[in-house]
Amino acid sequence: MLVIKELQVSFGELIVLKGINLELKKGEILAVVGESGAGKTTLGLSIMGLSPGRCAGQILFKGKDILALSEEERRLIRGKEIAMVFQNVEDALHPLYPVVDQVMEALLIHGLKDKKAAQRKAMDLLKALGLSEERTHFFPHQLSGGEKQRVLLAMALANDPEVLILDEPTASLDAITRAEIIELLKKVIREKMVLLITHDLSVAAKLAHRVAVLYGGRVVESGATQCIFTFPRHPYTRGLLRSYPNMTTVKDLQGIPGPPYKPVDGCPFHPRCTQRVELCFREVPELKSLGDRYLACHRGGIIPLLEIKALSKSFNGVRAVREVELTLYEGETLALVGESGSGKTTLALTIMGLLPPDKGEIWLEGQKVLLRDKGFYQRVQMIFQNPKSSLSHRMNVWELVKEPLDVQGWGSEEEKLERVRKVLEEVELPADDFFLRKYPHELSGGEAQRVAIARALVLNPKLLIADEATSALDASIQAKILKLLLSLQEKRGLAMLFITHDIALARKVSDRLAVMKNGSIVEEGPASEVITNPKHPYTRTLLSLAADLKEEISILPVDAQRPK
């Protein structure tokens, strides 16, 4: 077993790794993931005894602390019992020696005296890893990137080490070569302890049993791979998954707010976190067990922002909303999908307090909502379906966007003007006096909708309810408005309840999907799961009727498809 205890690595005053605690067992693959600069490679080099930084803590292997060994004792372990496949293949291979000689060297250094036997073993290993006998005598510059990666793997495996450290083993490889290397790794790393260092989440998903998420030199979340990647609890983990392109992702890619990590007091992620509280600025969160994972977050992970519990609403004895249970998490987009009359807008209006519920509860940030006061509307705002009817025709743009500030009694007129101009610029509208004096009838549909969005955002709410916010717009303007909403969500950390009858549209914006029929939620889950593996017949019906230009073109007569 390899055990890392309170590992700290510093370069002068810069501390790169801060109290790392990890374990590796025989036959287990642990992936360490995170952005560039998180400290992943430093961790691998420290285990190898190659880190140029000052190391503190313990790295225990077979009961011995690697950090306490002499350099001579480390050399006996390095390459024989613990080996590493380095990230940069161009730097790791010597340009003046054939690759078979470089694999031979690893064998000769660790005790094999017979050069011919070493050459045979090196050649056999390279051939087993996919190189032809002829190419084993090639120089590095004569090989492809995938072939060089196989050579590095052969060098690491030459002495059959117990611990194998793979540092970005598929970086810079094309998709086909990458897939070949992954399949090769699955075969050759069985029964070993493997530390997989990667920013490629799909490689971690395919190879690793467990995942540790590293940020700012600390583990912020760790657990079983499926658990972490399916239901991330730390905001940073969710940000990594949102940023990663893969074929099961349905939502357009979103980055992580803010610039890359810089050393700060308190939680390392707090400058980029949208749910930070005062404690996050002062104290580093402890990595604690939460049953299915370890998590370092003062708030216990991504918090429920809005909770709807057994909510019902009737009109003249007809139940429009039936015992709805729904949770919207901080910073996520939940799409509520269903046909007209399914109860979507009624649910939204009830949440906003514009309709009284028959029964049920609404909780906001962990507190039961008893009345809709100024504090509620400061945190929750709504974009209505038709901006031309929701914006007063008696008020100009300046008055419309400023009105929520007036209601809240916020700031002086000069401060209000500055805030209004800023939010108009955020929604990509002019902020000059001429535009501020315009009335709704002087605006295009897209401009009116952006004014409605600016009005909803001017108080900097935590939750935005968008009720068919793009249904009246043409496709081009709709696309721009949706990109704008997603950009604002990423920038501001908004949570969004996105109400639509168009499931094709919902799949492009949502983290999770809830399908509503006859006032009830009939299916709910991660958007990728609901779209690719729908459980309810009604969801399957919605998907079958969703817009598919390719399918619709294919049903035209052949002559109609040919250009005239």
Side-chain angles (χ1 to χ4, degrees), residues 429-536:
L429 284 174
D432 56 77
D433 292 343
F434 177 75
F435 188 81
L436 289 173
R437 288 194 296 267
K438 282 191 173 185
Y439 285 83
H441 71 274
E442 300 177 278
L443 305 175
S444 69
E447 286 176 329
Q449 191 61 284
R450 288 171 191 263
V451 168
I453 295 171
R455 177 183 166 91
L457 292 177
V458 74
L459 291 172
N460 196 24
K462 290 289 293 180
L463 169 61
L464 197 61
I465 300 175
D467 184 16
E468 300 283 7
T470 61
S471 62
L473 305 174
D474 66 73
S476 175
I477 300 299
Q478 174 180 261
K480 290 179 180 178
I481 294 293
L482 289 177
K483 285 185 178 295
L484 172 65
L485 286 173
L486 290 174
S487 174
L488 290 169
Q489 181 191 40
E490 178 182 326
K491 181 179 178 181
R492 288 176 169 236
L494 282 168
M496 187 158 53
L497 180 62
F498 187 84
I499 297 171
T500 181
H501 60 264
D502 188 344
I503 198 166
L505 189 64
R507 74 190 295 269
K508 296 296 291 180
V509 301
S510 59
D511 297 297
R512 288 190 302 121
L513 268 172
V515 181
M516 198 168 188
K517 177 177 172 59
N518 296 332
S520 299
I521 303 296
V522 297
E523 184 163 1
E524 180 192 350
S528 57
E529 179 67 22
V530 174
I531 294 295
T532 59
N533 188 28
K535 301 291 192 300
H536 197 276

Side-chain angles (χ1 to χ4, degrees), residues 54 140 273 364 395 481 522:
R54 183 166 54 86
C273 185
L364 182 64
M395 302 170 72
I481 294 293
V522 297

